[in-house]
Amino acid sequence: MKLITGEFEEKLRLQFAPSIRAGFPSPAEDYLAESLDFNRDLIKHPEATFYGQVEGDSMIGLGINEGDIAVIDRSIEAEHGDIVVSYIEGDFNVKLLDLTHKEDGYIELKSANPKAPNFRMDADDNFRVWGVVIYTIKKWK
């Protein structure tokens, strides 16, 4: 994962359609009343939030593909089932956090691709959960 850092000084306001159906067509243009500012409306902790570009295909089962942008909040405490960015021996990785075996002295970082490895992390491993993925941004075209 390649981290993207920087200040959130410039406002990005986009028209916001409050409801978009994925089935029956809706004249959404009639409802474009508000604007959405990603930094104001989606980022709760700007000083602890980073963007990272996903590399690899280990999370494709959850719809996270290479090139997607992960929005990562470092101020949120990771819980079982969260998608997290971990720092393992000098590398950032996106994985699913499995705390099922925490009482047994280890946790697992699981891939969402059967071809990709899972990681078992013991207390003496050089590892930490760096942040929690709160959004992903896809480029379709």
Side-chain angles (χ1 to χ4, degrees):
M1 166 169 275
K2 180 172 51 173
L3 289 178
I4 303 164
T5 60
E7 296 293 322
F8 300 125
E9 294 177 12
E10 189 172 325
K11 296 195 182 290
L12 174 61
R13 293 190 188 274
L14 303 174
Q15 290 296 317
F16 181 62
S19 176
I20 299 174
R21 297 182 187 263
F24 186 79
S26 171
E29 291 177 9
D30 295 341
Y31 301 100
L32 296 178
E34 300 179 41
S35 67
L36 174 69
D37 181 321
F38 280 93
N39 295 327
R40 179 195 70 212
D41 299 328
L42 301 180
I43 307 301
K44 301 296 182 216
H45 309 108
E47 65 286 343
T49 302
F50 297 84
Y51 296 96
Q53 187 168 27
V54 176
E55 296 175 353
D57 64 357
S58 71
M59 299 302 287
I60 60 173
L62 290 176
I64 302 173
N65 301 317
E66 182 159 8
D68 288 352
I69 302 294
V71 182
I72 308 148
D73 190 331
R74 295 198 64 203
S75 68
I76 297 174
E77 178 143 359
E79 298 176 3
H80 175 77
D82 282 346
I83 298 169
V84 299
V85 173
S86 62
Y87 190 72
I88 303 172
E89 298 184 13
D91 287 322
F92 291 102
N93 291 277
V94 178
K95 298 290 182 226
L96 189 64
L97 182 63
D98 182 345
L99 299 176
T100 307
H101 302 284
K102 191 173 182 177
E103 290 183 10
D104 299 325
Y106 69 94
I107 65 169
E108 290 184 300
L109 298 170
K110 294 193 171 184
S111 298
N113 180 347
K115 296 178 182 176
N118 296 326
F119 298 105
R120 175 185 162 142
M121 307 308 299
D122 296 301
D124 57 343
D125 287 328
N126 184 12
F127 138 87
R128 73 176 181 260
V129 172
W130 192 80
V132 176
V133 176
I134 55 173
Y135 297 102
T136 55
I137 302 169
K138 297 193 142 318
K139 181 177 180 180
W140 292 99
K141 195 171 190 180

